[in-house]
Amino acid sequence: INSKFVGLVPLNHRIILTSAQIKNTFTAILILWIAGIFFSRFLQSVSLVATAILFLLSEKPETKIKEVFKNLISVTLVGILLIYLLSFFNSENHGEYLKVIKNKIPYLFIPLSLVSVQKLSKQQLIFIQYIFIVCCLYSSGWSYYQYLQNSQIYADLYARGEVIPTLIHHVSFA
């Protein structure tokens, strides 16, 4: 492995990303994930896979696993996952359980990726917050526009307990 690659550091014949690259990549992944919340389940999936890859490319991922249990947020997320895993014994419909758990397993990589990233800068956090606000405004603006187009239909739907359509079904605005 040639160590002349920009930003890549060889270590025991493994290529890892530098701390700054991990922080910048993690910021980009967070932005994708936030956009996915409002616009696309695909972006959510891509960002979860990217966090797993980011963890594997971090320096000494095997030691990072131990750090998961030193961080309260990570322990909480792992605990939630364990509750889902243990609910197998309380489930009567194992087919439905497997569908639910299949969607929860990728969230195991969130605590792992959190420990592989050092603290983000204040600028990065503010930028992520602005992205979140812009996505909220755009998505709620789209829903409001839909409401204005057919306000009576949506008033009737809302009276029956149904929600106003959004760009992606799992986000709802009241």
Side-chain angles (χ1 to χ4, degrees):
I1 298 174
N2 188 351
S3 63
K4 293 181 181 178
F5 291 112
V6 177
L8 297 177
V9 180
L11 181 68
N12 297 336
H13 303 292
R14 267 188 66 209
I15 297 176
I16 59 169
L17 297 175
T18 63
S19 178
Q21 288 175 317
I22 288 175
K23 284 169 61 171
N24 292 336
T25 305
F26 187 72
T27 302
I29 291 169
L30 277 179
I31 290 169
L32 273 178
W33 185 69
I34 289 170
I37 291 172
F38 295 98
F39 307 118
S40 166
R41 289 185 190 265
F42 174 74
L43 287 178
Q44 290 178 25
S45 298
V46 167
S47 62
L48 281 173
V49 169
T51 59
I53 292 170
L54 185 65
F55 170 73
L56 294 173
L57 292 176
S58 68
E59 186 176 355
K60 298 182 183 177
E62 58 279 353
T63 60
K64 299 284 184 179
I65 292 174
K66 294 175 187 172
E67 291 180 32
V68 168
F69 298 103
K70 295 178 183 175
N71 181 330
L72 182 60
I73 293 172
S74 297
V75 169
T76 304
L77 291 172
V78 169
I80 291 169
L81 179 70
L82 284 175
I83 290 170
Y84 276 106
L85 290 175
L86 292 174
S87 67
F88 172 81
F89 299 110
N90 194 35
S91 177
E92 293 178 6
N93 186 349
H94 294 298
E96 186 63 30
Y97 170 82
L98 291 175
K99 286 181 186 177
V100 169
I101 204 68
K102 179 185 74 171
N103 293 328
K104 304 298 181 200
I105 290 289
Y107 290 101
L108 175 64
F109 293 107
I110 292 174
L112 292 175
S113 66
L114 288 176
V115 297
S116 65
V117 177
Q118 293 180 356
K119 187 176 179 182
L120 296 178
S121 71
K122 188 173 182 173
Q123 285 179 315
Q124 287 171 315
L125 290 173
I126 290 172
F127 183 68
I128 290 168
Q129 289 172 346
Y130 281 133
I131 294 293
F132 181 77
I133 290 168
V134 166
C135 288
C136 285
L137 290 173
Y138 182 81
S139 184
S140 59
W142 184 87
S143 294
Y144 185 65
Y145 175 76
Q146 297 301 314
Y147 177 80
L148 290 178
Q149 297 299 312
N150 302 306
S151 60
Q152 186 57 44
I153 292 171
Y154 293 121
D156 294 339
L157 287 174
Y158 212 62
R160 290 185 293 192
E162 297 182 30
V163 295
I164 297 172
T166 58
L167 291 169
I168 187 168
H169 181 66
H170 70 272
V171 175
S172 61
F173 299 102

